[in-house]
Amino acid sequence: MKYKKFRSLYSVNKHLIVPSFLKARLVDEAWKIDSCARIVNTIKCDHCGTHHFKGFSRCKSRYCAICNKAKSMLWLAKLYPYLKAWLDSGNYIVFVNYTIRDRADLKEALNVIQGAWRHMTHEHKQMRKEFKNRYDGGVRSLEVKIGENSRMCHPHFHTMVLKRKYSADDYSFLAPAWAKSVEAAGGGKYGSENQEGIVYIESFSAYSKRGGKKLTYEERLLKSIMEVVKYMTKFDYVNDTPEHLQELYYSLKGSRQISTWGVLYKIPREVDRALDSLSDEQITAFVCQVCGCTKGTLEKLHHDVWQDEYIVDYSQKTPQDISPERVEKIRQLNDMIDEMTTDYIQEEFEIYAKEWE
């Protein structure tokens, strides 16, 4: 994560999310989120003293803006190479959204949609067998949207399913299977006017357009993965009520945001291990982004300290990547700053630092 993005998300936590949880009397969760990034890990250049952003302490709350972003990016990093290799090997990926009718009661809606998934993939023998025969694995995420005007809850699943054989009849199996499963879980009756279990299927294509621009399949794959692993909830922390946040919090408690099955079943453990190690990374091929020095020291800065420090993004460039002329020019500027601390020199320093990034 870039340091600028980190600071932006930290501000979202502090000024939007934490106050909203305090108003909703969810004090423990508010304190948990407020503790996120209390400690920032940096590498301090031994020559000029510049801190390089290297990681942060995590609260692991599903409502924390910083942790959610970090988790999404790790899921992307873990899924992309596997899914690209899957496609490059001549296999197929299908994107499927599973929806149910909007409801005023979020807990009831979650019980229906989660119960329907269990019924289709585990409890109903024939459906389970057909599902496993068709799909070798996949990833599924839960997203909850709240209607801006209706305030109705709209939970739905985003999924990417992997298969080895091409078939154009996914809908002929999934549409009735999902609708019958929703009925079995307490939803609207299959085949009636009140039927509510609906699936939307999109096959993966080599090229797609967005905003008039043609995307390569690598770009398409990246965007598709991000659609699956994005945040669980979209909550209006400014305008929504504390009572509604309470309902959202307690209804989603214990619900899994992202899950995998089949050939992707190991991915969650890999993501969790990567998340746990975010705060303990070691120095690798360090080079100061300001003066070009290749020696640095790991440091931990409390939030009262790091908010007032000049911090740049960490890079693993090797010394061979640095122009000697560039390094010498910036080192001379650093020497000037050591002797003179005028505003003009400080502005010049910041300009060079930005260029170096």
Side-chain angles (χ1 to χ4, degrees), residues 205-254:
S205 57
Y207 293 93
S208 180
K209 289 185 178 179
R210 177 167 294 187
K213 178 186 175 183
K214 183 175 285 189
L215 303 177
T216 65
Y217 92 88
E218 288 91 348
E219 292 171 327
R220 170 70 171 155
L221 182 57
L222 283 169
K223 290 181 179 296
S224 299
I225 295 173
M226 284 306 299
E227 179 69 19
V228 174
V229 300
K230 62 186 179 183
Y231 301 160
M232 179 188 286
T233 59
K234 292 182 177 177
F235 188 80
D236 187 347
Y237 289 101
V238 175
N239 300 312
D240 223 328
T241 65
E243 293 76 20
H244 197 202
L245 180 55
Q246 271 192 355
E247 179 193 8
L248 189 72
Y249 175 79
Y250 287 115
S251 296
L252 290 172
K253 198 169 185 178

Side-chain angles (χ1 to χ4, degrees), residues 291-306:
C291 73
C293 176
T294 57
K295 292 184 179 180
T297 304
L298 279 167
E299 290 202 359
K300 292 183 181 293
L301 305 180
H302 189 266
H303 74 105
D304 290 335
V305 176
W306 66 252

Side-chain angles (χ1 to χ4, degrees), residues 6 53 62 69 74 100 195 210 250 264 311 323 328:
F6 165 79
F53 183 58
R62 67 173 55 178
K69 182 64 175 179
L74 281 172
I100 61 171
Q195 175 182 316
R210 177 167 294 187
Y250 287 115
L264 297 180
I311 299 178
S323 163
E328 183 58 31

Side-chain angles (χ1 to χ4, degrees), residues 33-46:
I33 299 169
D34 190 48
S35 71
C36 193
R38 286 263 170 175
I39 303 297
V40 161
N41 298 329
T42 68
I43 298 177
K44 184 178 180 181
C45 174
D46 290 349

Side-chain angles (χ1 to χ4, degrees), residues 101-106 143-156 233-236 239-241 244 247-248:
R101 187 177 64 242
D102 294 0
R103 283 173 165 77
D105 189 323
L106 177 56
E143 182 181 1
V144 178
K145 288 185 178 180
I146 309 297
E148 186 174 344
N149 297 318
S150 68
R151 311 314 302 160
M152 300 284 277
C153 307
H154 176 59
H156 52 284
T233 59
K234 292 182 177 177
F235 188 80
D236 187 347
N239 300 312
D240 223 328
T241 65
H244 197 202
E247 179 193 8
L248 189 72

Side-chain angles (χ1 to χ4, degrees), residues 314-325:
Y314 174 76
S315 173
Q316 293 186 354
K317 290 181 180 178
T318 64
Q320 288 76 17
D321 294 327
I322 310 169
S323 163
E325 295 79 11

Side-chain angles (χ1 to χ4, degrees), residues 35-310:
S35 71
C36 193
R38 286 263 170 175
I39 303 297
V40 161
N41 298 329
T42 68
I43 298 177
K44 184 178 180 181
C45 174
D46 290 349
H47 173 72
C48 69
T50 301
H51 288 277
H52 297 69
F53 183 58
K54 188 62 173 167
F56 53 92
S57 60
R58 297 179 57 252
C59 69
K60 299 183 181 180
S61 168
R62 67 173 55 178
Y63 301 97
C64 171
I66 304 173
C67 291
N68 261 296
K69 182 64 175 179
K71 190 172 184 179
S72 294
M73 297 310 293
L74 281 172
W75 271 100
L76 177 64
K78 294 296 181 181
L79 284 170
Y80 177 77
Y82 190 97
L83 296 181
K84 185 175 184 302
W86 181 265
L87 289 171
D88 290 345
S89 299
N91 299 310
Y92 302 91
I93 294 177
V94 175
F95 306 100
V96 186
N97 286 350
Y98 298 85
T99 70
I100 61 171
R101 187 177 64 242
D102 294 0
R103 283 173 165 77
D105 189 323
L106 177 56
K107 192 168 185 179
E108 177 194 352
L110 290 173
N111 286 337
V112 171
I113 195 169
Q114 291 168 340
W117 180 266
R118 287 194 303 271
H119 182 83
M120 184 178 71
T121 60
H122 290 84
E123 296 170 357
H124 192 283
K125 270 188 180 181
Q126 188 175 351
M127 289 184 194
R128 180 185 64 198
K129 182 178 179 181
E130 181 69 15
F131 190 87
K132 288 185 176 181
N133 285 340
R134 284 174 173 266
Y135 310 119
D136 295 88
V139 56
R140 185 205 75 187
S141 69
L142 170 66
E143 182 181 1
V144 178
K145 288 185 178 180
I146 309 297
E148 186 174 344
N149 297 318
S150 68
R151 311 314 302 160
M152 300 284 277
C153 307
H154 176 59
H156 52 284
F157 288 134
H158 295 281
T159 67
M160 300 177 72
V161 292
L162 283 62
K163 57 182 188 177
R164 299 180 189 276
K165 298 178 181 179
Y166 173 79
S167 61
D169 64 341
D170 287 302
Y171 189 83
S172 65
F173 161 65
L174 288 175
W178 179 245
K180 291 175 182 177
S181 296
V182 170
E183 179 188 356
K189 186 175 177 60
Y190 170 63
S192 71
E193 292 183 359
N194 294 322
Q195 175 182 316
E196 58 175 296
I198 301 174
V199 296
Y200 299 94
I201 302 175
E202 179 184 359
S203 60
F204 188 89
S205 57
Y207 293 93
S208 180
K209 289 185 178 179
R210 177 167 294 187
K213 178 186 175 183
K214 183 175 285 189
L215 303 177
T216 65
Y217 92 88
E218 288 91 348
E219 292 171 327
R220 170 70 171 155
L221 182 57
L222 283 169
K223 290 181 179 296
S224 299
I225 295 173
M226 284 306 299
E227 179 69 19
V228 174
V229 300
K230 62 186 179 183
Y231 301 160
M232 179 188 286
T233 59
K234 292 182 177 177
F235 188 80
D236 187 347
Y237 289 101
V238 175
N239 300 312
D240 223 328
T241 65
E243 293 76 20
H244 197 202
L245 180 55
Q246 271 192 355
E247 179 193 8
L248 189 72
Y249 175 79
Y250 287 115
S251 296
L252 290 172
K253 198 169 185 178
S255 297
R256 185 179 292 275
Q257 179 182 358
I258 305 174
S259 59
T260 60
W261 72 90
V263 294
L264 297 180
Y265 80 99
K266 289 184 178 180
I267 299 294
R269 278 180 283 177
E270 294 179 12
V271 171
D272 289 340
R273 282 197 295 267
L275 283 170
D276 291 337
S277 65
L278 275 180
S279 300
D280 302 316
E281 294 176 299
Q282 299 301 309
I283 301 176
T284 304
F286 170 72
V287 55
C288 178
Q289 300 301 286
V290 175
C291 73
C293 176
T294 57
K295 292 184 179 180
T297 304
L298 279 167
E299 290 202 359
K300 292 183 181 293
L301 305 180
H302 189 266
H303 74 105
D304 290 335
V305 176
W306 66 252
Q307 291 185 87
D308 297 325
E309 287 283 349
Y310 176 70

